Amino acid sequence: MHRWLSLSLSLSLSLAACRGKEPTQNTTKDQAPSPTGSAAGSAAGSAADPWKAPDAAAEKKTTPKERAEAAISRTTTILPKLAKLRELPMETPVPAEYQTTDDFRAFMRKGLAKEFPGDKAPNLAAAMQHIGLFKEVIDLPKVLEQTMATQAAAYYDPETKKFFVVMAPDNELMLDTISAHELTHALQDKHFDLTKYLPPGLDDDAAIARKFVVEGDATFAMFAYMAASMAGDKAGPDMLPKLVKPVRMQLETMANATGGYAQMFKDQAAAMPDMDPEMKKSLESIDELPPMIVGPLIDSYLKGALVAMTAYEAGGWKGVDALYAKPPTSTEQVLHPETKLVKTREEPKAVTLAKLDGTELLNNVIGELQWSIYFTLWGVKAPDASVGWGGDRYAVMKGADGKLVGYIATTWDTPKDAQEFYDAYLKSLEGRFPGTSVATPEKGVDRPDGTKVFVRLKGNNVTVVDGATDPKALDKLAAGTKVK
């Protein structure tokens, strides 16, 4: 499922980045400094004074296609500077074109149909809802299409090696910020092969962790490019190390925003009253999307950038490059890069479930990030409940009677970590099934459908059977599951 979330969500982040810059002498209160002049100008003219404020009236007269084509023409100037800054040579330009939202949707539908043949999508959605990862059964392809159609301002496609502009705001700084982000993906693809780096066979947790690297690297490079462009001739070799601390502070503030990402992006949109209506609608629709889908997507930008900066501080751009040669294997690593990824690595334990009865609908890894989202989804205030994760594996099976049963096996670093997860998980059941009692979890917590959730804590391990009627199912799962 997460492969389709690798399409780049530059819109929200570029907005925040542009709003984060102080207006210069020749900008108005609500207008960010423009790197390239008027979007209506020619390629040569737009590069003449890279930080001259654009003519707002001239920008408003252009169409999205004209603004996109002007932005694309400026990429021939952006790319060589970005390549030099990121220390990833690129001798040839990156093909780019404007794509309407309708064409982008058609592109996604084609890919999603290939990704979810037959009844795969409804089976996955039903399985995830059954164990509480979704609050309700959703039309998975439709939600993924909506997520990307409303949030992707632009994207780089590793298969065609092309960069597409989908949304074209009136603000040139924002457009060029988006371009810098996407062109970084082109640099990554040339040197590290993104198709091989993000193969379809990865479990969800490992796939999200790798997206932290890809999007975090592009986000950090984007900020670095903006700073270097603003500094102009004053930009020297010591500029980037000095940039890390203030950018880290800004991103940490964004990542820990009170009220969550949805409110943060709505506030950003409200701060720019003249924003393109399509972009404004996109930002305001974030809270309509399932947290288990949009959360990892946004985290890969904000918290992913912290991963890239941590690696950069330890070894410069070569330190960032090393994350492609030896990718992270869990979201635990990328959520704690200083202690579990860059300086020392803590690899997850491999969890193999016992042999299960029925037809398998889903078999995957949840991981620290998605467990934290799960607890937030069900109103559990236990910020450390997913910390200390050691490994997990879950499967959802469909019986001959059509009923679903979820099997979850988790292992934790210490008995204390396991206890904290166990307590939080029981609280989540109270949120999922209001009025139910969690007093005797090994004997079963009642579900509305007449089945039970059986939960066991033993040492470092917590085992769950969700949707069975016989408590022996828990014994079988615990006895047959292997952790190493």
Side-chain angles (χ1 to χ4, degrees), residues 36-305:
T36 52
S38 173
S42 66
S46 67
D49 188 355
W51 289 100
K52 181 180 179 181
D55 184 313
E59 286 194 344
K60 291 296 181 183
K61 292 178 182 178
T62 61
T63 65
K65 183 178 180 181
E66 289 170 334
R67 293 195 295 270
E69 289 175 345
I72 289 169
S73 72
R74 297 192 296 270
T75 62
T76 57
T77 301
I78 296 172
L79 182 59
K81 294 179 180 178
L82 180 69
K84 182 178 180 180
L85 178 69
R86 179 56 184 84
E87 296 181 10
L88 293 175
M90 188 78 154
E91 295 78 18
T92 57
V94 178
E97 65 181 60
Y98 171 65
Q99 190 174 66
T100 66
T101 302
D102 288 342
D103 287 342
F104 180 46
R105 282 185 179 273
F107 163 75
M108 286 190 294
R109 290 190 190 110
K110 182 178 179 181
L112 287 166
K114 183 178 179 181
E115 184 78 5
F116 299 108
D119 59 358
K120 181 178 179 180
N123 281 340
L124 287 177
M128 295 182 76
Q129 186 274 338
H130 181 81
I131 60 173
L133 298 181
F134 291 159
K135 279 199 168 183
E136 57 191 18
V137 177
I138 63 173
D139 184 333
L140 192 53
K142 182 178 179 179
V143 169
L144 289 174
E145 179 187 328
Q146 180 69 8
T147 300
M148 299 315 303
T150 59
Q151 303 304 321
Y155 68 97
Y156 173 77
D157 182 9
E159 292 187 5
T160 62
K161 312 297 182 186
K162 292 180 70 173
F163 159 44
F164 295 89
V165 177
V166 181
M167 296 184 191
D170 294 336
N171 187 294
E172 285 188 0
L173 173 58
M174 191 183 298
L175 267 171
D176 289 352
T177 299
I178 291 170
S179 294
H181 185 105
E182 300 309 325
L183 290 172
T184 303
H185 288 321
L187 297 175
Q188 295 165 343
D189 192 30
K190 175 179 174 60
H191 290 269
F192 309 120
D193 193 338
L194 292 181
T195 301
K196 290 184 178 179
Y197 191 72
L198 294 165
L202 292 173
D203 66 63
D204 278 357
D205 192 51
I208 295 170
R210 293 192 187 202
K211 290 191 183 81
F212 267 59
V213 174
V214 173
E215 297 299 350
D217 175 12
T219 298
F220 181 41
M222 176 191 77
F223 273 95
Y225 175 80
M226 289 176 64
S229 298
M230 285 181 150
D233 294 338
K234 296 180 181 179
D238 62 340
M239 181 211 69
L240 194 50
K242 291 180 180 178
L243 177 69
V244 172
K245 184 176 181 179
V247 171
R248 180 185 291 275
M249 292 175 62
Q250 182 179 356
L251 289 169
E252 285 177 343
T253 299
M254 293 168 65
N256 298 308
T258 302
Y261 296 130
Q263 188 59 49
M264 177 183 69
F265 291 137
K266 285 183 178 181
D267 292 344
Q268 292 282 359
M272 298 183 73
D274 296 328
M275 176 183 288
D276 178 83
E278 185 180 38
M279 299 186 75
K280 189 177 183 70
K281 180 180 178 182
S282 298
L283 290 169
E284 292 177 341
S285 69
I286 287 180
D287 58 358
E288 300 172 9
L289 303 171
M292 200 61 71
I293 289 178
V294 75
L297 177 62
I298 297 176
D299 276 339
S300 68
Y301 286 76
L302 301 180
K303 296 179 181 178

Side-chain angles (χ1 to χ4, degrees), residues 306-378:
L306 301 177
V307 175
M309 285 187 281
T310 300
Y312 179 84
E313 288 175 306
W317 285 118
K318 295 299 182 185
V320 179
D321 295 347
L323 297 177
Y324 294 92
K326 188 179 180 182
T329 51
S330 72
T331 56
E332 180 188 49
Q333 292 173 338
V334 294
L335 290 172
H336 310 279
E338 292 185 353
T339 58
K340 298 182 184 293
L341 178 64
V342 174
K343 295 178 181 178
T344 58
R345 284 212 176 198
E346 183 174 312
E347 296 293 344
K349 291 182 171 62
V351 178
T352 304
L353 297 176
K355 185 176 180 180
L356 306 172
D357 297 326
T359 301
E360 185 178 275
L361 300 187
L362 183 58
N363 189 310
N364 222 311
V365 175
I366 296 177
E368 180 177 336
L369 176 61
Q370 291 189 109
W371 274 122
S372 69
I373 296 171
Y374 167 87
F375 289 129
T376 300
L377 182 66
W378 296 109

